Amino acid sequence: MANRTESIPHHYYPSTIQLPHYTTNETPVLSLIAQFGFLWAAVLGIALLIIRRTRPTASRSDQVAFIWMCLTGFIHLFFEAYFVINHKILAGSQELFGQLWKEYSLSDSRYLTSDSFLVSMEAVTAFFWGPLAFFIAYCIATQHPARHALQLIMSLGQVYGDVLYYATSLFDHYFHGVLFCRPEGYYFWFYYFFFNFIWMVVGSYYAYQSAVAITRAFRKLGEVERGRKGI
């Protein structure tokens, strides 16, 4: 008798994908979201306490930037790194992050199939942008001069990653007829579009902020140089 992979029923699109290790999440969706929300709140609260203690005179803008860098660093370095490390067995995971990824994968099943682009993109995000976000937070707290150069690099990297993420799935949908997201609008607009668009918007804002700060710094340097030369 020929060997064949047993087809395990699942709710992901396309329905033809094989997930031999798949198991249904044991935790209700609302409980998963609540637990993840608690982690977010804990990171935000701790970050706020740290910046107020280490740099009490920081502007509101810098406080918000510090908190954002800590949050995005946490998500990149821990949540997204979990996917990279466990992508081959993710479909059967019952750990918190594993179940969260399986819930999100209802909007993009590529996360359960070890898609080469997603594994590569998430690896860069997790192991480059994650640590860098925490270092930028350190730069904000200590007023390190490298803050805006590093912030510009990371923010552009986040935006570029999101552009490629959107583009690859939409390309497969419109040109190859492959649908990775369930048809319910909730999964497309809330999970797939909104959660990723946050990094598009915030990343664009901090890239612009840093570009303006760097431009102003060079303009002032040019004025000083011209003043020394008596021009």
Side-chain angles (χ1 to χ4, degrees), residues 4 60 76 211 221:
R4 62 185 180 88
R60 180 64 61 85
H76 291 337
L221 180 62

Side-chain angles (χ1 to χ4, degrees), residues 40-77:
W40 280 42
V43 172
L44 294 174
I46 293 171
L48 179 60
L49 291 175
I50 291 174
I51 188 61
R52 286 184 173 178
R53 181 178 293 272
T54 59
R55 190 183 161 197
T57 59
S59 65
R60 180 64 61 85
S61 175
D62 279 357
Q63 289 184 33
V64 172
F66 179 88
I67 293 170
W68 167 255
M69 293 303 166
C70 290
L71 178 63
T72 194
F74 168 79
I75 293 173
H76 291 337
L77 190 56

Side-chain angles (χ1 to χ4, degrees), residues 222-231:
E223 292 173 354
V224 171
E225 290 295 326
R226 287 193 294 272
R228 288 177 179 175
K229 295 178 180 179
I231 299 177

Side-chain angles (χ1 to χ4, degrees), residues 38-193:
F38 175 80
L39 287 177
W40 280 42
V43 172
L44 294 174
I46 293 171
L48 179 60
L49 291 175
I50 291 174
I51 188 61
R52 286 184 173 178
R53 181 178 293 272
T54 59
R55 190 183 161 197
T57 59
S59 65
R60 180 64 61 85
S61 175
D62 279 357
Q63 289 184 33
V64 172
F66 179 88
I67 293 170
W68 167 255
M69 293 303 166
C70 290
L71 178 63
T72 194
F74 168 79
I75 293 173
H76 291 337
L77 190 56
F78 296 100
F79 184 59
E80 291 175 273
Y82 180 92
F83 162 75
V84 176
I85 295 170
N86 298 283
H87 66 91
K88 290 184 179 180
I89 59 173
L90 192 64
S93 175
Q94 293 298 336
E95 296 177 347
L96 174 60
F97 283 179
Q99 292 189 75
L100 282 166
W101 274 116
K102 285 196 288 182
E103 175 64 21
Y104 176 79
S105 295
L106 291 168
S107 72
D108 190 346
S109 64
R110 294 179 298 170
Y111 279 95
L112 298 185
T113 60
S114 296
D115 179 83
S116 58
F117 166 73
L118 287 184
V119 174
S120 302
M121 184 269 290
E122 292 288 5
V124 172
T125 301
F127 301 119
F128 284 90
W129 305 148
L132 185 56
F134 282 118
F135 186 71
I136 294 170
Y138 165 80
C139 290
I140 295 171
T142 59
Q143 295 180 280
H144 195 286
R147 177 259 179 104
H148 281 293
L150 297 176
Q151 182 174 289
L152 178 61
I153 292 171
M154 188 196 71
S155 298
L156 288 177
Q158 289 176 323
V159 173
Y160 182 61
D162 264 341
V163 169
L164 290 180
Y165 175 67
Y166 282 138
T168 52
S169 62
L170 293 176
F171 182 89
D172 282 334
H173 173 56
Y174 286 107
F175 291 96
H176 296 158
V178 181
L179 184 65
F180 298 109
C181 179
R182 287 191 57 81
E184 296 88 346
Y186 172 86
Y187 293 112
F188 179 83
W189 291 109
F190 189 58
Y191 283 11
Y192 174 81
F193 178 79

Side-chain angles (χ1 to χ4, degrees), residues 30 118 210 212:
L30 291 180
L118 287 184
S210 292
V212 169

